CSV table of all heavy atoms in Angstrom, one decimal:
chain,number,residue,atom,x,y,z
W,742,SER,N,13.8,-9.8,-11.4
W,742,SER,CA,13.3,-10.2,-12.7
W,742,SER,C,12.1,-11.1,-12.6
W,742,SER,O,11.8,-11.8,-11.6
W,742,SER,CB,14.3,-11.1,-13.4
W,742,SER,OG,15.6,-10.5,-13.5
W,743,ALA,N,11.1,-10.9,-13.6
W,743,ALA,CA,10.0,-11.8,-13.7
W,743,ALA,C,10.4,-13.2,-13.9
W,743,ALA,O,10.0,-14.3,-13.3
W,743,ALA,CB,9.0,-11.4,-14.7
W,744,ILE,N,11.4,-13.4,-14.9
W,744,ILE,CA,11.9,-14.7,-15.2
W,744,ILE,C,13.4,-14.6,-15.2
W,744,ILE,O,14.0,-13.7,-15.9
W,744,ILE,CB,11.4,-15.2,-16.6
W,744,ILE,CG1,9.9,-15.2,-16.6
W,744,ILE,CG2,11.9,-16.7,-16.9
W,744,ILE,CD1,9.3,-15.5,-18.0
W,745,SER,N,14.1,-15.6,-14.6
W,745,SER,CA,15.6,-15.6,-14.7
W,745,SER,C,16.0,-16.9,-15.4
W,745,SER,O,15.4,-18.0,-15.2
W,745,SER,CB,16.2,-15.5,-13.4
W,745,SER,OG,16.0,-16.7,-12.6
W,746,VAL,N,17.0,-16.8,-16.3
W,746,VAL,CA,17.5,-18.0,-17.1
W,746,VAL,C,19.0,-18.2,-16.7
W,746,VAL,O,19.8,-17.3,-16.8
W,746,VAL,CB,17.4,-17.7,-18.6
W,746,VAL,CG1,17.9,-19.0,-19.4
W,746,VAL,CG2,16.0,-17.4,-19.0
W,747,SER,N,19.2,-19.5,-16.3
W,747,SER,CA,20.7,-19.8,-15.8
W,747,SER,C,21.3,-20.8,-16.8
W,747,SER,O,20.6,-21.3,-17.8
W,747,SER,CB,20.6,-20.3,-14.4
W,747,SER,OG,19.9,-21.5,-14.3
W,748,SER,N,22.5,-21.2,-16.5
W,748,SER,CA,23.4,-21.9,-17.4
W,748,SER,C,22.9,-23.3,-17.9
W,748,SER,O,23.2,-23.6,-19.0
W,748,SER,CB,24.8,-22.1,-16.8
W,748,SER,OG,24.6,-22.9,-15.5
W,749,GLN,N,22.1,-24.0,-17.1
W,749,GLN,CA,21.6,-25.3,-17.6
W,749,GLN,C,20.2,-25.3,-18.0
W,749,GLN,O,19.5,-26.3,-18.1
W,749,GLN,CB,21.7,-26.3,-16.4
W,749,GLN,CG,23.2,-26.4,-15.9
W,749,GLN,CD,23.3,-27.4,-14.9
W,749,GLN,OE1,23.1,-28.7,-15.1
W,749,GLN,NE2,23.7,-27.0,-13.6
W,750,SER,N,19.7,-24.1,-18.4
W,750,SER,CA,18.3,-24.1,-18.8
W,750,SER,C,18.1,-23.5,-20.2
W,750,SER,O,18.8,-22.6,-20.6
W,750,SER,CB,17.5,-23.3,-17.8
W,750,SER,OG,18.0,-22.0,-17.6
W,751,THR,N,16.9,-23.7,-20.7
W,751,THR,CA,16.5,-23.1,-22.0
W,751,THR,C,15.1,-22.5,-22.0
W,751,THR,O,14.2,-23.3,-21.6
W,751,THR,CB,16.6,-24.2,-23.2
W,751,THR,OG1,17.9,-24.6,-23.3
W,751,THR,CG2,16.1,-23.5,-24.5
W,752,LEU,N,14.9,-21.3,-22.2
W,752,LEU,CA,13.6,-20.7,-22.2
W,752,LEU,C,13.3,-20.2,-23.6
W,752,LEU,O,14.0,-19.5,-24.2
W,752,LEU,CB,13.5,-19.6,-21.3
W,752,LEU,CG,12.3,-18.8,-21.2
W,752,LEU,CD1,11.1,-19.5,-20.8
W,752,LEU,CD2,12.5,-17.4,-20.4
W,753,THR,N,12.0,-20.5,-24.1
W,753,THR,CA,11.5,-20.0,-25.3
W,753,THR,C,10.1,-19.3,-25.0
W,753,THR,O,9.3,-19.9,-24.4
W,753,THR,CB,11.3,-21.2,-26.4
W,753,THR,OG1,12.5,-21.8,-26.6
W,753,THR,CG2,10.7,-20.6,-27.6
W,754,ILE,N,10.0,-18.1,-25.5
W,754,ILE,CA,8.8,-17.4,-25.5
W,754,ILE,C,8.2,-17.4,-26.9
W,754,ILE,O,8.8,-16.9,-27.8
W,754,ILE,CB,8.9,-15.9,-25.1
W,754,ILE,CG1,9.7,-15.8,-23.7
W,754,ILE,CG2,7.5,-15.2,-25.0
W,754,ILE,CD1,9.0,-16.3,-22.5
W,755,ASP,N,7.0,-18.2,-27.1
W,755,ASP,CA,6.6,-18.5,-28.4
W,755,ASP,C,5.2,-18.0,-28.5
W,755,ASP,O,4.2,-18.6,-28.2
W,755,ASP,CB,6.6,-20.0,-28.6
W,755,ASP,CG,6.3,-20.3,-30.1
W,755,ASP,OD1,6.2,-19.5,-30.9
W,755,ASP,OD2,6.2,-21.5,-30.3
W,756,GLY,N,5.0,-16.7,-29.0
W,756,GLY,CA,3.6,-16.2,-29.3
W,756,GLY,C,3.6,-14.7,-29.0
W,756,GLY,O,4.1,-14.2,-28.0
W,757,ASP,N,2.9,-14.0,-29.8
W,757,ASP,CA,2.7,-12.5,-29.7
W,757,ASP,C,1.9,-12.2,-28.6
W,757,ASP,O,1.8,-11.0,-28.1
W,757,ASP,CB,2.1,-12.0,-31.0
W,757,ASP,CG,3.1,-12.1,-32.1
W,757,ASP,OD1,4.3,-12.1,-32.0
W,757,ASP,OD2,2.6,-12.1,-33.3
W,758,ASP,N,1.0,-13.1,-27.9
W,758,ASP,CA,0.1,-12.8,-26.9
W,758,ASP,C,0.7,-13.0,-25.5
W,758,ASP,O,0.0,-12.8,-24.5
W,758,ASP,CB,-1.2,-13.6,-27.0
W,758,ASP,CG,-1.9,-13.2,-28.3
W,758,ASP,OD1,-1.9,-12.0,-28.7
W,758,ASP,OD2,-2.5,-14.1,-29.0
W,759,VAL,N,2.0,-13.3,-25.4
W,759,VAL,CA,2.6,-13.5,-24.1
W,759,VAL,C,3.2,-12.2,-23.7
W,759,VAL,O,3.9,-11.4,-24.4
W,759,VAL,CB,3.8,-14.5,-24.2
W,759,VAL,CG1,4.5,-14.6,-22.9
W,759,VAL,CG2,3.2,-15.9,-24.6
W,760,THR,N,2.9,-11.7,-22.4
W,760,THR,CA,3.4,-10.6,-21.8
W,760,THR,C,4.2,-10.9,-20.6
W,760,THR,O,3.7,-11.6,-19.7
W,760,THR,CB,2.3,-9.5,-21.5
W,760,THR,OG1,1.6,-9.1,-22.7
W,760,THR,CG2,2.9,-8.2,-20.9
W,761,VAL,N,5.4,-10.3,-20.5
W,761,VAL,CA,6.3,-10.5,-19.3
W,761,VAL,C,6.7,-9.1,-18.9
W,761,VAL,O,7.2,-8.2,-19.6
W,761,VAL,CB,7.6,-11.3,-19.6
W,761,VAL,CG1,8.4,-11.5,-18.3
W,761,VAL,CG2,7.2,-12.6,-20.3
W,762,LYS,N,6.3,-8.7,-17.6
W,762,LYS,CA,6.5,-7.3,-17.2
W,762,LYS,C,7.0,-7.3,-15.8
W,762,LYS,O,6.7,-8.2,-14.9
W,762,LYS,CB,5.3,-6.5,-17.4
W,762,LYS,CG,4.1,-6.8,-16.6
W,762,LYS,CD,3.0,-5.9,-16.9
W,762,LYS,CE,1.7,-6.2,-16.0
W,762,LYS,NZ,0.7,-5.2,-16.2
W,763,ALA,N,7.8,-6.2,-15.4
W,763,ALA,CA,8.3,-6.1,-14.0
W,763,ALA,C,8.0,-4.7,-13.7
W,763,ALA,O,8.1,-3.7,-14.5
W,763,ALA,CB,9.7,-6.4,-14.0
W,764,ASP,N,7.8,-4.4,-12.3
W,764,ASP,CA,7.6,-3.1,-11.9
W,764,ASP,C,8.6,-2.7,-10.8
W,764,ASP,O,9.2,-3.6,-10.1
W,764,ASP,CB,6.2,-2.9,-11.1
W,764,ASP,CG,5.1,-2.7,-12.1
W,764,ASP,OD1,5.4,-2.2,-13.3
W,764,ASP,OD2,3.9,-2.7,-11.8
W,765,PHE,N,8.8,-1.4,-10.7
W,765,PHE,CA,9.8,-0.8,-9.7
W,765,PHE,C,9.0,-0.5,-8.4
W,765,PHE,O,9.4,-0.5,-7.3
W,765,PHE,CB,10.6,0.3,-10.2
W,765,PHE,CG,11.4,1.0,-9.3
W,765,PHE,CD1,12.3,0.4,-8.4
W,765,PHE,CD2,11.4,2.4,-9.2
W,765,PHE,CE1,13.1,1.1,-7.5
W,765,PHE,CE2,12.1,3.1,-8.3
W,765,PHE,CZ,13.0,2.5,-7.4
W,766,THR,N,7.8,0.0,-8.7
W,766,THR,CA,6.9,0.4,-7.6
W,766,THR,C,5.5,-0.2,-7.7
W,766,THR,O,5.1,-0.6,-8.8
W,766,THR,CB,6.7,1.9,-7.6
W,766,THR,OG1,6.1,2.3,-8.8
W,766,THR,CG2,8.0,2.6,-7.4
W,767,TYR,N,4.9,-0.4,-6.7
W,767,TYR,CA,3.5,-0.9,-6.7
W,767,TYR,C,2.8,-0.5,-5.5
W,767,TYR,O,3.4,-0.4,-4.4
W,767,TYR,CB,3.4,-2.5,-6.8
W,767,TYR,CG,3.9,-3.1,-5.6
W,767,TYR,CD1,3.0,-3.6,-4.6
W,767,TYR,CD2,5.3,-3.4,-5.4
W,767,TYR,CE1,3.6,-4.3,-3.5
W,767,TYR,CE2,5.8,-4.0,-4.3
W,767,TYR,CZ,4.9,-4.5,-3.4
W,767,TYR,OH,5.5,-5.1,-2.2
W,768,GLY,N,1.6,0.1,-5.6
W,768,GLY,CA,0.9,0.5,-4.4
W,768,GLY,C,1.6,1.6,-3.7
W,768,GLY,O,2.1,2.6,-4.3
W,769,SER,N,1.8,1.5,-2.5
W,769,SER,CA,2.6,2.5,-1.6
W,769,SER,C,4.1,2.1,-1.4
W,769,SER,O,4.8,2.8,-0.8
W,769,SER,CB,1.9,2.6,-0.2
W,769,SER,OG,2.0,1.4,0.5
W,770,HIS,N,4.5,1.0,-2.1
W,770,HIS,CA,5.8,0.5,-1.9
W,770,HIS,C,6.8,1.0,-3.0
W,770,HIS,O,6.4,1.0,-4.2
W,770,HIS,CB,5.8,-1.0,-1.9
W,770,HIS,CG,5.0,-1.6,-0.8
W,770,HIS,ND1,5.1,-1.5,0.5
W,770,HIS,CD2,3.7,-2.3,-1.0
W,770,HIS,CE1,4.1,-2.1,1.1
W,770,HIS,NE2,3.3,-2.6,0.2
W,771,GLN,N,8.0,1.3,-2.7
W,771,GLN,CA,9.0,1.6,-3.7
W,771,GLN,C,10.3,1.1,-3.2
W,771,GLN,O,10.7,1.3,-2.0
W,771,GLN,CB,9.1,3.1,-3.9
W,771,GLN,CG,10.1,3.6,-5.0
W,771,GLN,CD,9.9,5.0,-5.4
W,771,GLN,OE1,8.8,5.5,-5.5
W,771,GLN,NE2,11.0,5.7,-5.8
W,772,PHE,N,11.1,0.5,-4.1
W,772,PHE,CA,12.4,0.0,-3.7
W,772,PHE,C,13.5,1.0,-3.9
W,772,PHE,O,13.4,1.9,-4.7
W,772,PHE,CB,12.7,-1.3,-4.5
W,772,PHE,CG,11.7,-2.4,-4.2
W,772,PHE,CD1,10.6,-2.7,-4.9
W,772,PHE,CD2,11.8,-3.1,-2.9
W,772,PHE,CE1,9.7,-3.7,-4.6
W,772,PHE,CE2,11.0,-4.1,-2.6
W,772,PHE,CZ,9.9,-4.4,-3.4
W,773,SER,N,14.6,0.7,-3.3
W,773,SER,CA,15.7,1.7,-3.3
W,773,SER,C,16.6,1.7,-4.5
W,773,SER,O,17.2,2.7,-4.8
W,773,SER,CB,16.7,1.4,-2.1
W,773,SER,OG,17.1,0.1,-2.1
W,774,THR,N,16.5,0.6,-5.3
W,774,THR,CA,17.2,0.6,-6.6
W,774,THR,C,16.3,0.2,-7.7
W,774,THR,O,15.4,-0.6,-7.5
W,774,THR,CB,18.4,-0.4,-6.5
W,774,THR,OG1,17.9,-1.7,-6.2
W,774,THR,CG2,19.4,0.0,-5.5
W,775,ASP,N,16.6,0.8,-8.9
W,775,ASP,CA,15.7,0.5,-10.0
W,775,ASP,C,16.2,-0.7,-10.9
W,775,ASP,O,16.8,-0.6,-11.9
W,775,ASP,CB,15.6,1.8,-10.9
W,775,ASP,CG,17.1,2.3,-11.4
W,775,ASP,OD1,18.0,1.8,-10.8
W,775,ASP,OD2,17.1,3.1,-12.3
W,776,SER,N,16.0,-1.9,-10.3
W,776,SER,CA,16.5,-3.0,-11.0
W,776,SER,C,15.5,-4.0,-11.4
W,776,SER,O,15.6,-5.3,-11.3
W,776,SER,CB,17.6,-3.7,-10.0
W,776,SER,OG,16.9,-4.1,-8.8
W,777,SER,N,14.4,-3.5,-11.8
W,777,SER,CA,13.3,-4.4,-12.3
W,777,SER,C,13.6,-4.9,-13.7
W,777,SER,O,14.1,-4.1,-14.5
W,777,SER,CB,11.9,-3.8,-12.2
W,777,SER,OG,11.9,-2.7,-13.0
W,778,ARG,N,13.4,-6.2,-14.0
W,778,ARG,CA,13.7,-6.7,-15.3
W,778,ARG,C,12.6,-7.7,-15.7
W,778,ARG,O,12.1,-8.4,-14.8
W,778,ARG,CB,15.0,-7.5,-15.3
W,778,ARG,CG,16.2,-6.6,-15.3
W,778,ARG,CD,16.8,-6.4,-13.9
W,778,ARG,NE,17.3,-7.7,-13.4
W,778,ARG,CZ,17.6,-7.9,-12.1
W,778,ARG,NH1,17.4,-6.9,-11.2
W,778,ARG,NH2,18.2,-9.0,-11.6
W,779,ALA,N,12.2,-7.6,-16.9
W,779,ALA,CA,11.2,-8.6,-17.4
W,779,ALA,C,11.9,-10.0,-17.4
W,779,ALA,O,11.4,-10.9,-16.8
W,779,ALA,CB,10.7,-8.3,-18.8
């Protein structure tokens, strides 16, 4: 994940111009499982 939120934390995304993204592959690299999360 790009950002992970756990039990004692609070996260607010406030604004249309914020982008959070995650990739499964980049360049010549590719991972064995498709578990990318924003």
Side-chain angles (χ1 to χ4, degrees):
S742 308
I744 307 173
S745 67
V746 183
S747 59
S748 60
Q749 300 184 65
S750 59
T751 298
L752 173 66
T753 301
I754 307 293
D755 190 8
D757 293 334
D758 294 326
V759 176
T760 298
V761 183
K762 64 179 183 177
D764 274 347
F765 172 51
T766 61
Y767 66 97
S769 61
H770 306 292
Q771 180 166 327
F772 294 100
S773 58
T774 56
D775 55 346
S776 58
S777 63
R778 287 94 68 194

